[in-house]
Amino acid sequence: MTRAGTRAGNPASAGLLLAAIALVALNLRPFIAGIGPLAADIGAHTGLDLKRMSLLTLVPMLLMGLVAFAGPAVQARLGGRRAVLLALALLAAGSSLRLWASAGWQLIGTAAMLGLGAAVVQAVLPGIIKRQFPRHVGVVMGLYSSMLMAGGALGAQLSPLAAAASGDWRIGLAWMAVPALLALALAARSLPPDEAVRSGRMAAATYLARPRVWLLMACFGLVNGGYSSVVAWLAPFYQERGWSAAASGSLLAALTVCQAAAALLLPVLARKHEDRRPWLWLTLVLQAAGFAALAWRPDAAPIAWAMLLGAGLGGCFALSLIVALDHLPDPLRAGVLSSYVQGGGFLIAAAPPWIVAALREATGGFRDGWLLHLACVAVVAALYLRAAPSSYARAMAAPRADAARAGSGGS
């Protein structure tokens, strides 16, 4: 990456910053993906049923949504660097406390801590990326997204192995404090100093007054609802079909490895294309094929279905964030837009794991839940028809009242 494409002082510091971004992202999903393979043990020892077990995914997703709306205020008050460092400390503390979790409410409490830490990082890091790598946003966001998904693979694979080796499901969750501490150390060394926040930026209400922002939120949320349901229930789904915890964890890991690969590869392939939608629609086709297969032919080729879903979900996550950032050329405003899109999106994504659990209890199976997400994929495909690049400037243009406030120095 050339110096012209980054604001880092030299290639070595740019490389160190990229390594920090990758390691930070690696810590944002293991605590969610590690739950599914251990669900039977967690339920047996804490008394959590399926609906309450879904809170271990729902609560972090809900916090990711709520905190994303506060992301611009957090960045203005704390600065992006300090916010990321505090969030990583919270991730390390939340995972460590799971060593002593003996009741369901304690585990849900640590899920809230972990969700809060991940939420803060997700709210501020895309803006840092756009500021530090202005000419390579797509590639660096692809790296960030792929490592985020790889963290899910790490959690899904290592959690049941650590639990089996130690004989304690708590250790299967608490080991995640180690990579969080490593990320904290690297981020403290490499994240750039915070810049003064400029005045005259658009207020939250002016973003939320734009229909395009709500469209982007809906698309991001419906796709990530599929991710939250899959990561919560794919392993229990196959455990009901006779798979062991380790085998179902490996299946979830295969899914998340494909997520990571697609999140890295597809932004690179799409980087020279102003219109990212053909690539987005490709990811939606892959998701549709995966959910349809889980609903109607789950035992035919489980690994293939998991890989299809993973590629579709991972590629769509990365490209959705890039499309949001593409809407505004200014890094500060684009970072704020990304925060709000993630905020609304994660609020939407919090509900599906609970809905799928309720459908499972009502029908005795997961098929209706998979079909629900198949319908969501179709809705997202239709919504993206309206998001042509030629519409970005018009969709995000300030109404006359906004322009008048900006001209008078208001925010």
Side-chain angles (χ1 to χ4, degrees):
M1 190 170 294
T2 65
R3 185 176 298 185
T6 175
R7 294 181 60 187
N10 55 63
S13 62
L16 194 63
L17 179 56
L18 286 172
I21 289 168
L23 188 54
V24 169
L26 194 71
N27 282 274
L28 303 183
R29 288 296 181 272
F31 65 91
I32 294 177
I35 296 294
L38 299 178
D41 286 339
I42 293 171
H45 287 88
T46 63
L48 292 175
D49 59 17
L50 283 180
K51 286 184 180 178
R52 287 184 293 168
M53 187 83 67
S54 71
L55 294 176
L56 300 177
T57 302
L58 187 155
V59 168
M61 287 287 184
L62 190 63
L63 284 167
M64 289 176 193
L66 293 172
V67 172
F69 282 110
V74 170
Q75 187 156 345
R77 182 173 293 273
L78 296 177
R81 172 188 167 85
R82 189 180 303 171
V84 170
L85 297 180
L86 289 173
L88 290 169
L90 194 59
L91 286 169
S95 291
S96 297
L97 287 173
R98 287 186 157 178
L99 279 172
W100 296 277
S102 57
W105 69 266
Q106 294 172 329
L107 203 56
I108 294 169
T110 60
M113 291 180 64
L114 292 161
L116 180 60
V120 170
V121 173
Q122 290 174 175
V124 302
L125 197 57
I128 293 174
I129 289 171
K130 181 144 187 168
R131 186 173 74 245
Q132 295 301 124
F133 300 96
R135 294 180 57 189
H136 301 283
V137 172
V139 175
V140 181
M141 284 300 296
L143 172 68
Y144 162 77
S145 300
S146 69
M147 294 305 294
L148 187 150
M149 303 302 176
L154 198 66
Q157 188 68 71
L158 292 188
S159 291
L161 295 178
S166 64
D168 189 343
W169 61 267
R170 295 173 186 82
I171 293 177
L173 300 177
W175 66 267
M176 301 171 196
V178 175
L181 290 171
L182 293 175
L184 176 60
L186 185 56
R189 181 177 177 184
S190 61
L191 285 181
D194 294 316
E195 295 182 350
V197 177
R198 301 193 303 273
S199 61
R201 67 188 185 279
M202 289 197 299
T206 66
Y207 284 90
L208 300 180
R210 290 158 172 77
R212 176 57 54 84
V213 177
W214 292 92
L215 182 148
L216 294 171
M217 284 181 187
C219 292
F220 188 80
L222 291 173
V223 167
N224 279 279
Y227 170 78
S228 59
S229 288
V230 166
V231 80
W233 301 125
L234 184 68
F237 173 58
Y238 277 100
Q239 286 175 20
E240 288 184 354
R241 308 182 81 82
W243 290 48
S244 67
S248 63
S250 296
L251 184 66
L252 187 57
L255 179 142
T256 49
V257 165
C258 288
Q259 279 184 300
L264 182 63
L265 178 62
L266 289 181
V268 172
L269 294 175
R271 72 188 184 280
K272 295 183 180 178
H273 300 265
E274 184 184 13
D275 191 349
R276 325 274 189 174
R277 292 178 302 161
W279 300 95
L280 277 166
W281 284 320
L282 171 62
T283 68
L284 293 170
V285 168
L286 296 175
Q287 290 177 54
F291 282 122
L294 289 181
W296 288 305
R297 297 293 301 276
D299 297 317
I303 294 176
W305 307 155
M307 293 173 70
L308 280 174
L309 267 178
L313 290 167
C316 198
F317 178 90
L319 290 168
S320 297
L321 286 179
I322 293 167
V323 166
L325 291 171
D326 284 347
H327 270 72
L328 291 166
D330 177 69
L332 176 64
R333 293 179 63 197
V336 173
L337 175 60
S338 173
S339 292
Y340 291 147
V341 168
Q342 291 183 76
F346 282 121
L347 288 177
I348 295 169
W354 188 91
I355 295 172
V356 171
L359 289 171
R360 162 66 180 79
E361 291 190 355
T363 65
F366 284 96
R367 175 179 292 180
D368 287 351
W370 305 139
L371 292 176
L372 169 68
H373 286 298
L374 181 60
C376 290
V377 168
V379 170
V380 172
L383 288 176
Y384 270 126
L385 287 169
R386 300 179 57 85
S390 59
S391 70
Y392 290 174
R394 183 175 66 255
M396 298 306 298
R400 290 181 180 178
D402 294 350
R405 280 196 296 270
S408 63
S411 60

